[in-house]
Amino acid sequence: MASAPVAEDSTLVPILGALQELYTGSDRRTKEEAGQFLENFQKSENAWNTTHSILSSPTMSLEAKMFAAQTLRSKVVYDLHQLSADAQIQLRESLIAILISYKSGPKLIITQLALSLASLAIQQIQWKNAVAQVVSSCGVDASSATIILEFLKVLPEEASDARKIPLSDEDLKDRTTELLQQNSFEVLKILVMYVESAETPKSSHPLIFECLNSWIREVPLPAIVNSPLLDLVFQALSNDDLFDSSTDCICSMIRETRDVDETMDVIPALYAKVMELRPRIQTCKDDPEAFRNYTRIFADAGEAWHMLIARRPREFRALAESIGECAALDEDLEVVQFTFYFWYQLKQMIVLDRYESARHDLKDIYLSLVDVMIKHLRYPYEEKNGDLFGNDKEQEEKFRSFRHEMGDVLKDCCAVVGASLALRKAYVKVSECLQAQSVGENVPWQDFEAPIFSMRAMAREVDLDESSVLPDIMNLLIQLPDHKKIRFAVTLVLGRYTEWTARHPEFLEFQFNYITNGFYVGDSDVASAAAQSMMHFCRDCGKHLVNYIDQLHDFYEKVAPEIHLESLYDLTDGVAHLVAAQPVDKMYGSLKMFCSPIVERLYAKASMPADDAGHRRIADEVELLDTFARLVQPVIEEGKPHPCMQYWIEMWPLVDLLLDNHGGSTYVSERVCKFLRTLMWSYRSHFFPLLAPVAEKLVFCFEKYHYGSYLWASGICVREYGNEYSNQSTQEAVWEFAYRQCISTFKYMTTVNLADIPDLIEDLFRLLSNLVSSFPYRFIPSELCKPSLDAAIAIFTTEKKELIFTGVDLLHDIFSYGFETPPVSRIFVVPSEIQMLVKQLVITQGEIMVRQLFSGLLYAFPRECVSDGVGVLLVILKLAGTLNSVTWTSSMLNMLPEGSITQAEKDRYLSAVESALDTDDMTRLRRQTMDFIGWYTRRNITPRNSIRRIGNIQAFAFNG
């Protein structure tokens, strides 16, 4: 590159013109065209020389040089393969030279050049003395400090980002060792030299600490702690310019001591330095940035050394106190969350029996923390524009979410000090508010609500037999002011303690009345809370409310039309639990009493045309029925009449009518199919009388509407009734029904673009997997098997995660029957004729399956799908045998784009495939295949890559 010819001015003119248009142009279309031109330029081979010309020119604008530096960096990352080995050596020489020429700045360009040089150093594994050469070429005098430090800072950062490095995992590991670990002590010497030198520009001091922060994981920590750097880093906290970078360094050093048993040689020195900072917590509480950094330091220290606090509480107690001080002084709630994980970690240790003495010694700290959290839970006092958060809904939601995080800290406190003591704190605060109000003080509702919320947060930690404070709390709650915010909080508290109330029924009546009255206060939030609490009340206290069912029905019918839908769902959940608690002989009547009004409303809607909103209302009503079917499912001996199924059979004509008239609505079809799924799951064999009409309806509706929901429900039928627990005639009927559905689906798939119906195909794959599981020996020889494989192959160029998972699972389910040992426990040995059929499928379809799978694995699959995809690939290779597998894999490798892989790399992977299959070492082959996919994608799958598959897509075809 240093000797490359300088680009002609005529080459630069269009580039500079496009840059000017991009930065200063006003026409949107012209700017887009300029951006596209520059993007294409960045991909070209000419960009190597052109960027050097721009960066070397003394007359180019800063914008042009910045663009050239960014382009050069992206070229090194993505396009290094465009250069020969000799040209790459020239590149590193020219990069060093250009970096030196910019040692006076600008900083942004230095950073881009340093990143380019770091990426080049990592990729050029033959460049053994990269760090030493860069340092010696730039020189270690004060004037070169900025470029040396910037390069050293970014080198570990670039090496840690494996996604951008086109090396195998093994090569990257070796290269990281060469560049970082083997140079760590030399880098430490350079940093010490710069920090001790009076000639080092002050502007470089933050960079020294940033560089140290990057290398902390590479340099042995004792070397840093025993060097002058330790004192200098802590002293730098007093320098505003160095405050942030020194804080980052200290936190990084602390995090490196998390394995306390391995780092006890350095922890005492670090601990002493950290605790010297404690007085600053109080002095900087009014400086948000300083307080934030000191809280970070103490919280990180607590997380790293929480085990030492548990083991030696008296020696390390001061650290826990300091963190508590940080939490208490954070009036603006900006940094208290930094401490949360520490309190959790320490709690996890000291609740163990072996640390009982530590729990006793630290109990007072956690008890004080209860007060701190309750104070922080309080809503703001001042309103802005008539709203506590100034109508900033995002800020309000953030605070509400944050309160639940503080609630988790309160749970930790309960685990340490005991729930009764923690609850007593909240009780006392509410009592004090009541007492103050009783003597005429104006007590804001926020002061009541915060401790009430804390009671709700701590509920899960309270023993169901607790009797020292909860009775006082329950009696106190009914005395509180009738403010909607307070009522909302109290209602939710009652809903959270329903299990306790079930054991203390003397409190049930006033709680039940308090909750039901919440529906009439005219506030939607309170009504929502009442619905939620009523749900828990009926769930947990149902046996005490059995005789209230008639009154509850009247109440349900009265409030149902008045409350929001989500609240209605919660309320319906509650009353369904109450119906389920009825004696079996009364269950039919109770179920009918609650469901009949819903059925009547649906009958009225079923016969009328409906728009989108009307279909949503129908779906919402069906959801209410689904809730009853899901929750009211008494265990009835097989062969005896089921009181619930008796009612659902009676209302089947309604479902039939809904699907006839409104089955073309996705809202109605999906909700009805979900309802049918619930009936099958809830009543199992008692559903048999409805199985035939339901199956027929699902076939009819799919042929008419082609919605995936009908296939999804069909799959449930197969899974529930296509197994050995059904009689032979039922199994036969299920097979025939599912067969018709699949054939109909395959025919439909030939008429559409599969990319347009991913959800339908996903539902089909689930249905097919259920068929394979229930009827393996009928499915594999049938005419369903081949198109199932074709459909799976056809979707492997998609990027839709769930679709890939279901397709891969289907292939795995089918090919598992190619081995003697079956994938299910109910079958002991796979018949040889089935094994042969599966192997024959692999032989005839294997080459295209291997190609399409690799196409997905290398170009399209989301990362989460790669492991499963490799799993089914290995099954195919094992079934195909060594010769076929090597031939297919070789064919696939030869179809990869030119320049993306060398012949030596192809041969290495083919050798691994052959060796692993010959020795039946599939574990090794999985590891090598994952490694191959990893380095190939890092090298070739870039933002500039337009290739998304290997070869042509095979279109799905079906002639059945």
Side-chain angles (χ1 to χ4, degrees):
M1 286 292 143
S3 60
V6 175
E8 297 293 334
D9 288 345
S10 60
T11 306
L12 296 177
V13 168
I15 297 168
L16 298 177
L19 279 171
Q20 184 174 3
E21 181 62 40
L22 192 65
Y23 290 128
T24 63
S26 57
D27 183 73
R28 179 178 176 182
R29 180 177 178 182
T30 307
K31 292 182 73 169
E32 289 177 354
E33 290 174 352
Q36 186 61 53
F37 172 81
L38 292 171
E39 185 178 330
N40 292 334
F41 160 73
Q42 288 180 315
K43 298 177 184 178
S44 70
E45 293 189 24
N46 292 334
W48 292 106
N49 285 336
T50 305
T51 53
H52 278 69
S53 297
I54 295 174
L55 288 166
S56 302
S57 171
T59 60
M60 289 292 172
S61 67
L62 176 61
E63 290 84 0
K65 291 183 176 182
M66 189 63 198
F67 169 75
Q70 291 171 332
T71 300
L72 192 55
R73 181 198 175 190
S74 64
K75 295 294 289 181
V76 173
V77 172
Y78 299 125
D79 298 332
L80 198 58
H81 63 274
Q82 292 177 346
L83 301 179
S84 66
D86 290 340
Q88 289 185 28
I89 293 175
Q90 292 180 26
L91 174 64
R92 76 189 187 202
E93 300 296 336
S94 62
L95 263 176
I96 293 173
I98 293 174
L99 181 62
I100 293 171
S101 70
Y102 280 90
K103 63 183 179 182
S104 299
K107 174 71 163 56
L108 290 175
I109 293 180
I110 291 175
T111 299
Q112 292 300 317
L113 294 173
L115 287 167
S116 302
L117 194 55
S119 181
L120 185 64
I122 295 165
Q123 293 184 62
Q124 283 192 340
I125 56 179
Q126 299 84 6
W127 191 9
K128 298 299 181 183
N129 64 335
V131 173
Q133 183 177 344
V134 172
V135 171
S136 62
S137 298
C138 295
V140 291
D141 56 284
S143 64
S144 299
T146 300
I147 56 175
I148 291 290
L149 291 170
E150 189 68 31
F151 170 73
L152 293 176
K153 184 190 85 168
V154 301
L155 183 61
E157 296 169 359
E158 288 293 288
S160 65
D161 190 356
R163 295 171 300 173
K164 293 191 298 185
I165 303 172
L167 298 177
S168 69
D169 291 341
E170 184 176 347
D171 286 344
L172 178 58
K173 182 180 178 181
D174 292 342
R175 191 60 177 152
T176 301
T177 300
E178 286 178 351
L179 288 174
L180 303 183
Q181 295 175 16
Q182 294 178 7
N183 287 290
S184 60
F185 284 101
E186 288 303 314
V187 170
L188 189 60
K189 289 179 183 177
I190 292 172
L191 296 179
V192 172
M193 179 199 69
Y194 276 133
V195 86
E196 290 183 333
S197 171
E199 297 180 1
T200 303
K202 288 187 177 181
S203 60
S204 296
H205 284 188
L207 197 51
I208 295 173
F209 292 123
E210 291 171 15
C211 186
L212 174 61
N213 194 33
S214 290
W215 282 81
I216 279 175
R217 296 185 64 181
E218 314 304 333
V219 181
L221 200 55
I224 299 175
V225 172
N226 296 322
S227 76
L229 285 172
L230 181 65
D231 287 335
L232 292 168
V233 168
F234 276 87
Q235 290 168 12
L237 291 171
S238 301
N239 186 321
D240 290 343
D241 294 333
L242 304 177
F243 191 32
D244 288 338
S245 56
S246 58
T247 298
D248 290 339
C249 274
I250 292 169
C251 290
S252 294
M253 283 191 284
I254 289 170
R255 284 193 290 269
E256 288 301 302
T257 64
R258 283 174 292 192
D259 188 343
V260 295
D261 294 321
E262 294 293 324
T263 55
M264 277 306 295
D265 54 335
V266 297
I267 287 176
L270 275 176
Y271 180 73
K273 287 288 185 184
V274 169
M275 293 315 301
E276 287 175 7
L277 303 175
R278 184 176 181 181
R280 301 190 190 185
I281 298 173
Q282 186 67 237
T283 58
C284 75
K285 65 179 181 178
D286 297 323
D287 181 344
E289 291 304 315
F291 188 69
R292 180 185 185 87
N293 280 3
Y294 285 119
T295 302
R296 276 183 57 204
I297 292 172
F298 281 101
D300 281 359
E303 290 178 22
W305 304 329
H306 71 278
M307 191 173 292
L308 292 177
I309 301 175
R311 290 176 181 173
R312 293 143 68 172
R314 295 183 182 178
E315 183 178 344
F316 287 90
R317 175 188 171 91
L319 178 56
E321 291 177 339
S322 301
I323 298 170
E325 195 175 346
C326 291
L329 292 174
D330 185 21
E331 296 291 342
D332 296 326
L333 304 186
E334 292 294 332
V335 298
V336 65
Q337 67 266 29
F338 295 167
T339 72
F340 289 172
Y341 190 54
F342 162 71
W343 300 119
Y344 168 78
Q345 285 184 302
L346 183 58
K347 178 267 296 185
Q348 290 290 87
M349 295 295 295
I350 61 179
V351 295
L352 300 176
D353 290 342
R354 63 185 297 185
Y355 297 115
E356 184 178 359
S357 61
R359 184 164 70 251
H360 179 269
D361 291 341
L362 302 172
K363 185 176 181 178
D364 62 314
I365 296 177
Y366 274 89
L367 204 54
S368 298
L369 187 61
V370 174
D371 291 324
V372 171
M373 289 297 112
I374 292 176
K375 182 188 73 171
H376 289 334
L377 285 171
R378 193 174 55 212
Y379 272 98
Y381 286 131
E382 296 182 5
E383 292 190 358
K384 302 173 184 177
N385 300 322
D387 184 86
L388 293 176
F389 297 92
N391 295 311
D392 186 341
K393 297 302 179 185
E394 182 179 350
Q395 191 66 25
E396 181 178 0
E397 186 57 37
K398 182 180 176 182
F399 179 71
R400 286 182 175 180
S401 176
F402 187 49
R403 294 179 98 208
H404 290 288
E405 294 180 43
M406 290 189 279
D408 291 337
V409 178
L410 285 170
K411 294 184 182 73
D412 296 334
C413 295
C414 288
V416 175
V417 307
S420 295
L421 273 179
L423 276 175
R424 179 65 66 180
K425 287 268 189 182
Y427 169 78
V428 168
K429 291 185 181 298
V430 177
S431 299
E432 290 172 348
C433 289
L434 267 179
Q435 185 176 2
Q437 195 177 60
S438 68
V439 296
E441 289 187 30
N442 181 23
V443 182
W445 65 264
Q446 290 91 334
D447 289 353
F448 282 101
E449 194 274 345
I452 296 171
F453 181 92
S454 75
M455 296 174 185
R456 173 181 158 206
M458 294 184 276
R460 293 294 178 229
E461 302 299 316
V462 180
D463 190 89
L464 297 183
D465 294 322
E466 205 286 331
S467 58
S468 64
V469 65
L470 266 181
D472 294 338
I473 288 176
M474 294 304 171
N475 289 322
L476 179 71
L477 293 179
I478 60 173
Q479 304 174 37
L480 299 182
D482 193 16
H483 187 285
K484 65 180 182 179
K485 295 291 187 181
I486 298 175
R487 176 175 277 277
F488 175 82
V490 170
T491 302
L492 289 176
V493 167
L494 297 180
R496 194 60 65 89
Y497 284 92
T498 49
E499 290 182 85
W500 181 87
T501 303
R503 295 202 184 182
H504 301 79
E506 64 271 22
F507 295 96
L508 186 146
E509 186 172 355
F510 93 79
Q511 291 185 14
F512 186 78
N513 291 335
Y514 189 94
I515 292 172
T516 54
N517 288 337
F519 289 101
Y520 304 116
V521 299
D523 184 88
S524 59
D525 288 338
V526 174
S528 174
Q532 190 179 52
S533 294
M534 182 63 76
M535 175 181 68
H536 293 294
F537 223 88
C538 293
R539 280 182 183 179
D540 299 325
C541 304
K543 65 181 181 180
H544 300 298
L545 297 172
V546 168
N547 296 326
Y548 290 81
I549 192 163
D550 291 331
Q551 298 93 310
L552 192 58
H553 171 258
D554 294 339
F555 162 78
Y556 179 74
E557 286 301 307
K558 185 174 181 180
V559 303
E562 307 297 329
I563 58 178
H564 290 162
L565 184 62
E566 291 302 319
S567 298
L568 178 57
Y569 286 160
D570 286 341
L571 182 58
T572 303
D573 184 293
V575 298
H577 275 92
L578 191 55
V579 173
Q582 298 295 306
V584 173
D585 60 334
K586 294 183 178 180
M587 200 164 290
Y588 169 83
S590 299
L591 181 64
K592 185 173 184 178
M593 179 172 63
F594 279 94
C595 292
S596 289
I598 303 171
V599 170
E600 289 171 7
R601 293 195 295 269
L602 280 172
Y603 262 119
K605 293 179 174 68
S607 302
M608 300 290 292
D611 56 10
D612 188 75
H615 286 140
R616 288 176 181 268
R617 286 191 289 271
I618 291 173
D620 294 338
E621 297 279 11
V622 174
E623 182 67 22
L624 299 179
L625 294 177
D626 182 82
T627 300
F628 283 102
R630 173 170 51 88
L631 298 175
V632 187
Q633 45 169 304
V635 177
I636 304 297
E637 186 179 338
E638 192 170 346
K640 291 187 177 181
H642 196 293
C644 300
M645 273 309 303
Q646 179 184 347
Y647 179 71
W648 301 127
I649 291 171
E650 289 174 5
M651 62 151 288
W652 167 251
L654 169 64
V655 179
D656 194 49
L657 184 63
L658 282 172
L659 292 176
D660 280 342
N661 294 345
H662 301 285
S665 161
T666 54
Y667 303 120
V668 175
S669 62
E670 290 177 3
R671 207 63 65 86
V672 169
C673 286
K674 179 190 174 193
F675 173 59
L676 295 176
R677 185 276 309 266
T678 300
L679 291 178
M680 287 184 262
W681 280 3
S682 292
Y683 305 111
R684 308 292 178 178
S685 62
H686 295 286
F687 184 77
F688 278 148
L690 280 182
L691 186 58
V694 165
E696 195 62 37
K697 200 66 184 179
L698 291 174
V699 172
F700 170 81
C701 286
F702 180 77
E703 290 177 348
K704 183 177 179 181
Y705 303 117
H706 298 123
Y707 287 165
S709 53
Y710 298 117
L711 298 180
W712 174 76
S714 300
I716 304 297
C717 283
V718 172
R719 189 167 68 222
E720 293 300 319
Y721 303 108
N723 51 48
E724 67 272 21
Y725 300 108
S726 299
N727 59 45
Q728 191 62 40
S729 62
T730 299
Q731 291 183 49
E732 184 66 29
V734 169
W735 167 261
E736 292 298 331
F737 142 71
Y739 183 89
R740 289 169 59 196
Q741 282 288 57
C742 293
I743 294 294
S744 177
T745 309
F746 291 145
K747 290 179 178 178
Y748 173 66
M749 288 166 61
T750 63
T751 67
V752 295
N753 183 348
L754 299 190
D756 296 334
I757 54 169
D759 293 339
L760 184 146
I761 297 176
E762 185 181 327
D763 290 324
L764 170 67
F765 285 165
R766 289 196 173 96
L767 169 58
L768 291 169
S769 287
N770 287 331
L771 270 176
V772 175
S773 177
S774 298
F775 304 97
Y777 302 153
R778 296 193 67 172
F779 180 89
I780 291 171
S782 76
E783 63 179 61
L784 297 181
C785 193
K786 170 77 165 51
S788 298
L789 299 181
D790 291 342
I793 292 170
I795 59 91
F796 283 148
T797 53
T798 183
E799 297 180 10
K800 296 186 179 294
K801 182 170 61 177
E802 291 304 321
L803 183 55
I804 293 168
F805 274 133
T806 53
V808 166
D809 287 345
L810 174 62
L811 289 183
H812 199 281
D813 290 342
I814 295 172
F815 293 144
S816 294
Y817 287 92
F819 303 102
E820 183 177 350
T821 303
V824 291
S825 59
R826 70 176 187 274
I827 301 173
F828 296 104
V829 177
V830 177
S832 58
E833 60 270 22
I834 297 296
Q835 294 181 50
M836 289 303 298
L837 282 172
V838 173
K839 289 177 181 176
Q840 188 59 40
L841 283 169
V842 170
I843 298 299
T844 56
Q845 298 280 98
E847 184 170 7
I848 188 171
M849 283 192 290
V850 167
R851 188 177 76 227
Q852 291 292 88
L853 271 169
F854 265 113
S855 184
L857 291 166
L858 296 179
Y859 291 102
F861 283 11
R863 187 176 301 179
E864 307 95 307
C865 301
V866 170
S867 180
D868 284 9
V870 169
V872 78
L873 172 68
L874 298 188
V875 170
I876 293 170
L877 296 180
K878 186 172 182 179
L879 287 171
T882 303
L883 180 60
N884 286 322
S885 297
V886 171
T887 302
W888 298 341
T889 305
S890 177
S891 174
M892 178 277 301
L893 292 173
N894 289 331
M895 296 178 74
L896 294 173
E898 185 178 353
S900 65
I901 182 172
T902 66
Q903 188 59 48
E905 290 164 339
K906 293 179 185 178
D907 294 340
R908 184 162 62 239
Y909 182 62
L910 284 173
S911 175
V913 172
E914 183 174 14
S915 173
L917 290 173
D918 282 342
T919 59
D920 196 27
D921 191 350
M922 304 310 288
T923 301
R924 177 161 57 94
L925 183 55
R926 166 180 277 276
R927 184 176 63 251
Q928 291 168 324
T929 301
M930 294 290 287
D931 192 34
F932 170 76
I933 293 167
W935 72 254
Y936 183 90
T937 53
R938 287 196 295 271
R939 175 190 295 177
N940 298 288
I941 310 306
T942 71
R944 303 175 179 188
N945 191 293
S946 60
I947 298 173
R948 304 308 299 164
R949 61 179 178 271
I950 303 171
N952 297 320
I953 297 177
Q954 176 175 303
F956 177 78
F958 178 68
N959 299 317

